[in-house]
Amino acid sequence: VLKTHAALAAAIEASVAVKLAYQKADGTFGHYTLQPHAILIDRYWDYLLAIDQNETKRSPVKTFRLDRIRQTTPLLRERFVKSAEIIADIGSAKSIYHFTQGVYRTVTLEISEELAESFRSITYFPFQEFTGFVNGRLRITTKIKRPEEILPDIKMLIPHIRIIDAPEIEAALARELRAYLDQSLS
């Protein structure tokens, strides 16, 4: 990962396009020609933020987890001008998911009494807002584009957190916990 980090940092600094071999979450590989703009650090992973020169169906702005990049080739003859809009957007982004396609939706969570004070003093989720107390539990909302934004934190906070209004996130959590238990018990 450090070698990849260094090669990408050099390409970003020089405004040079790169070719990447990237292993997707499902294990398949994609090959991309990109204009790298920045390396962003999220709570759990480091990401490359880049423009995909060949994207025609969705947003050309993409994020790539650095640990999934299998090969980086700088294209020294392909220089580009960084997008001023993307550079400005980096400063206002509250989450790596700001750059992914999709629309924000609000999710409501309840926090146990034991963790309520912690949630009042620390921002666990980028768009976290307090909405009050229900039966002694702190109720908060946050905005997400994809369940992966909050699933790691929810798993870490079990049994002190409850999902109120997002059945698809509850289902994803149940699948992940079932897979973990099946793997652990076999």
Side-chain angles (χ1 to χ4, degrees), residues 32-35 37 49-64 86 99 101:
Y32 302 88
T33 301
L34 304 169
Q35 295 174 343
H37 277 60
L49 176 67
I51 294 177
D52 182 347
Q53 297 173 303
N54 299 315
E55 182 61 68
T56 57
K57 296 177 187 170
R58 297 181 292 166
S59 170
V61 179
K62 294 190 174 178
T63 57
F64 299 85
I86 291 173
F99 301 100
Q101 189 175 1

Side-chain angles (χ1 to χ4, degrees), residues 33-81:
T33 301
L34 304 169
Q35 295 174 343
H37 277 60
I39 293 174
L40 303 174
I41 301 168
D42 194 53
R43 292 177 294 177
Y44 304 105
W45 310 104
D46 294 348
Y47 291 87
L48 170 66
L49 176 67
I51 294 177
D52 182 347
Q53 297 173 303
N54 299 315
E55 182 61 68
T56 57
K57 296 177 187 170
R58 297 181 292 166
S59 170
V61 179
K62 294 190 174 178
T63 57
F64 299 85
R65 264 185 34 193
L66 261 57
D67 65 315
R68 291 186 180 161
I69 296 173
R70 299 295 176 245
Q71 184 177 8
T72 305
T73 306
L75 304 173
L76 299 175
R77 296 178 191 250
E78 290 190 38
R79 294 192 175 276
F80 65 94
V81 176

Side-chain angles (χ1 to χ4, degrees), residues 5-6 18 25-26 39 43 50 54 60 85 93 99 107 113 121 134 136 144 147 157 166 182 186:
H5 229 113
V18 296
D26 65 5
I39 293 174
R43 292 177 294 177
N54 299 315
E85 183 181 339
F99 301 100
V107 175
E113 290 181 63
S121 60
V134 175
I144 65 166
L157 296 169
D182 289 347
S186 60

Side-chain angles (χ1 to χ4, degrees), residues 81-94:
V81 176
K82 289 185 185 86
S83 163
E85 183 181 339
I86 291 173
I87 298 303
D89 226 7
I90 290 170
S92 64
K94 290 187 173 186

Side-chain angles (χ1 to χ4, degrees), residues 5 8-10 20 28 31-32 50 77 82 85 89 93 120 129 132 140 159-160 164 180 182-183:
H5 229 113
L8 290 171
L20 290 187
T28 62
H31 299 276
Y32 302 88
R77 296 178 191 250
K82 289 185 185 86
E85 183 181 339
D89 226 7
R120 291 172 63 84
E129 290 184 17
I140 66 167
H160 301 285
I164 300 301
Y180 171 78
D182 289 347
Q183 185 180 37

Side-chain angles (χ1 to χ4, degrees), residues 116-142:
E117 194 56 40
S118 178
F119 266 80
R120 291 172 63 84
S121 60
I122 297 171
T123 302
Y124 281 81
F125 303 104
F127 294 97
Q128 177 175 310
E129 290 184 17
F130 305 104
T131 60
F133 284 88
V134 175
N135 298 327
R137 295 174 66 89
L138 176 66
R139 193 168 273 199
I140 66 167
T141 61
T142 189

